[in-house]
Amino acid sequence: MTTATTVNGVRKIEVYALTDVGVVRPHNEDNFLIVNLSNGQSWTAENQLPDHPLLIELHPSDQGVLLAVSDGMGGALAGEVASHLAVTQVCDSMMRLQKAAEFQHFKFHEHLRFAIERANLFINHQSQRSPEYAGMGATFTGAGLDGAVLYLAQVGDSRAYLFRHELVVQVTTDQSLVEQLIQSGHITREEAETHPYKNVILQALGATPSVSVTVDSIRVCRDDVLLLCSDGLSGKINGEDMQHILKATNGDLRLACQHMVNLANERGGEDNITVMLLRFTGEGFPRRGEIAGDDRIIPIDRDHDLPHPTEESLGLGDEPTQDEPDTSPTMELTSEGGSVQEPTPAELAITGGLGLTRQLAAVTPAPAETPAAASSPNGVTHLPATSPPETRAADNPASEDGLQMYRFVATGVLVVLSLVALIWTFINRGKVGVRPDGTDPPREQTHVTAPPSK
């Protein structure tokens, strides 16, 4: 496999992950993945992690690592099955692609993209052939390390945050309806916190036979800390909270994970909570500023020569391993517990005609005194060289294929939601804008902030 960067020393990755059912849900539909691509050793939520963080050491000739979180949905046990299949299928595909002759000339990030696309088709096929899993789906946020370059792959609204000295940056963009409305200027981030569409996502693995995977790259610096999480955490804890906990625990990743989960539960814990923290150390990673471009987040379009997975190539035959549920679940592209209203004509026009954009979200206590993140004409987003500014959006158009997919999915979702809202309005006149149970939508803080560090 082609290595993105040459490394001259040992790369060390310290990692710990924790998943929790929360205080409301009867079972946990989240999952995570940690896999050393050099020897195939892997961990998921089904494995028992040790009481201390894992330490993965990679020599210059070794392959990298892949880490991910996945949030399942679908009702009954279908969400658990979907997230389980997401992480295990991607892991299996990444190991197989390293040895597949026809994929040797493709770069690491295209292996990652193809593995996620294949997992999507596999989950979709299983949901079609097994009525008890009909409509299941899962988000997927993955971080693959190749050399000293980290590739971030995104489907849905789980998130990745980067902590570099005093800087905290959300390095993935939610594939959600409110994110599109924010990017278009139709609503503010403050308004998004209580928007009736806040739980609606535009993509999920398994929802359709094909999926458009967003892939970005960023160079890793020594002592960087990366956080991956499901929305059960990011919906309750913002970047300032995360930064405070990391400092309060003196860099103890296991303890920091536990404190973050505890805080999310204290603030309601309505959803499952999954968090993964990893720290990059060792001489194989450059110090900040040693390598040009370590402050850039670069979007990567799909290689035109990369084949698309087909059902014939899946080798399908194994049924889902979870116990069969008592009911046949269905799924809309929305996180559980959300409520929707009939969209306005303006919202229909905006969400039907826009694709997702790259976003760099970084905040400091004194944003007015710091320069804004810069986005060059080619779509590359730069991390601020000094203290980061208020939340900014860098407009980076998606590829034409991805744009068409986003438009198609967004339009289809809105049509379905519109019909549901119209029927509900007809039955319950005068109750549009509230949940079916009569309660108001939950208020969740999602704005990313960061305190100054020593």
Side-chain angles (χ1 to χ4, degrees):
M1 189 192 314
T2 303
T3 300
T5 57
T6 301
V7 292
N8 298 315
V10 175
R11 294 161 290 164
K12 298 180 181 180
I13 301 96
E14 186 182 4
V15 57
Y16 195 80
L18 187 63
T19 186
D20 189 85
V21 70
V23 299
V24 174
R25 298 288 179 82
H27 53 271
N28 195 341
E29 297 184 342
D30 284 3
N31 214 313
F32 63 79
L33 172 66
I34 303 170
V35 55
N36 183 340
L37 297 174
S38 294
N39 57 23
Q41 189 173 16
S42 64
W43 296 263
T44 67
E46 288 83 8
N47 303 130
Q48 181 64 44
L49 284 174
D51 292 334
H52 54 81
L54 301 172
L55 180 61
I56 301 174
E57 295 190 1
L58 301 172
H59 295 276
S61 61
D62 290 339
Q63 301 294 345
V65 296
L66 174 61
L67 310 108
V69 296
S70 180
D71 182 355
M73 59 198 73
L77 294 177
E80 288 186 40
V81 174
S83 62
H84 169 80
L85 292 177
V87 298
T88 55
Q89 287 296 313
V90 170
C91 178
D92 179 72
S93 293
M94 286 297 290
M95 296 304 300
R96 291 173 182 267
L97 289 170
Q98 291 183 118
K99 303 175 182 178
E102 62 271 30
F103 283 88
Q104 288 300 306
H105 64 286
F106 290 108
K107 294 183 178 179
F108 178 93
H109 55 78
E110 295 307 303
H111 286 201
L112 178 58
R113 190 194 306 270
F114 184 87
I116 298 172
E117 292 174 345
R118 182 186 180 279
N120 172 77
L121 184 59
F122 189 95
I123 296 170
N124 179 260
H125 185 92
Q126 293 288 8
S127 70
Q128 296 294 324
R129 70 189 296 197
S130 305
E132 64 271 26
Y133 301 124
M136 67 179 174
T139 69
F140 191 91
T141 297
L145 180 70
D146 181 32
V149 174
L150 192 70
Y151 294 99
L152 301 163
Q154 179 79 356
V155 175
D157 65 348
S158 295
R159 289 182 179 179
Y161 292 87
L162 178 69
F163 298 85
R164 180 175 291 176
H165 299 301
E166 76 284 353
L167 182 69
V168 52
V169 182
Q170 182 184 328
V171 289
T172 56
T173 301
D174 296 350
Q175 295 177 350
S176 64
L177 197 54
V178 294
E179 184 63 34
Q180 282 199 356
L181 295 174
I182 292 169
Q183 295 284 343
S184 67
H186 189 64
I187 63 174
T188 65
R189 292 205 174 274
E190 289 71 24
E191 293 171 334
E193 295 169 8
T194 56
H195 197 280
Y197 293 148
K198 67 171 297 182
N199 292 317
V200 177
I201 61 176
L202 301 183
Q203 288 204 115
L205 295 185
T208 59
S210 61
V211 67
S212 181
V213 183
T214 299
V215 178
D216 297 313
S217 71
I218 184 171
R219 291 184 181 273
V220 175
C221 295
R222 199 178 307 175
D223 298 322
D224 280 353
V225 173
L226 187 75
L227 181 147
L228 304 177
C229 67
S230 63
D231 66 339
L233 185 79
S234 60
K236 295 295 182 181
I237 297 179
N238 58 29
E240 183 178 18
D241 297 323
M242 297 172 185
Q243 189 83 302
H244 275 310
I245 291 174
L246 283 171
K247 290 181 179 180
T249 53
N250 296 316
D252 187 323
L253 301 187
R254 185 196 64 80
L255 194 58
C257 284
Q258 186 63 66
H259 283 200
M260 290 183 190
V261 168
N262 292 345
L263 182 56
N265 278 326
E266 290 172 7
R267 293 180 177 179
E270 295 90 353
D271 201 354
N272 305 144
I273 306 162
T274 298
V275 58
M276 180 185 297
L277 282 169
L278 53 150
R279 182 185 295 111
F280 303 94
T281 60
E283 297 180 355
F285 294 114
R287 297 187 182 278
R288 186 182 185 188
E290 286 184 353
I291 302 295
D294 65 7
D295 62 341
R296 295 184 298 172
I297 302 173
I298 305 173
I300 303 175
D301 291 336
R302 194 181 195 277
D303 191 322
H304 292 295
D305 294 328
L306 184 70
H308 290 275
T310 62
E311 291 191 3
E312 290 75 16
S313 67
L314 289 180
L316 294 170
D318 296 330
E319 297 293 337
T321 58
Q322 304 292 330
D323 295 334
E324 293 187 358
D326 296 331
T327 59
S328 297
T330 58
M331 184 201 72
E332 294 178 354
L333 291 185
T334 175
S335 299
E336 297 179 28
S339 62
V340 298
Q341 298 177 354
E342 182 180 358
T344 65
E347 289 171 333
L348 284 171
I350 291 170
T351 55
L354 293 178
L356 293 178
T357 58
R358 308 276 80 71
Q359 177 207 2
L360 175 64
V363 179
T364 60
E369 301 177 359
T370 59
S375 179
S376 62
N378 63 3
V380 176
T381 299
H382 296 263
L383 276 68
T386 57
S387 298
E390 282 193 53
T391 301
R392 297 296 298 268
D395 295 329
N396 301 295
S399 64
E400 188 62 28
D401 290 342
L403 182 59
Q404 292 176 356
M405 175 61 69
Y406 287 132
R407 288 173 175 170
F408 174 78
V409 174
T411 302
V413 169
L414 287 175
V415 169
V416 172
L417 294 177
S418 298
L419 292 174
V420 172
L422 285 173
I423 294 172
W424 185 256
T425 303
F426 178 78
I427 296 174
N428 299 270
R429 296 180 183 276
K431 294 185 179 181
V432 175
V434 299
R435 282 180 161 184
D437 61 5
T439 62
D440 292 328
R443 296 176 179 269
E444 298 181 358
Q445 179 70 20
T446 58
H447 189 61
V448 182
T449 58
S453 62
K454 296 181 180 179

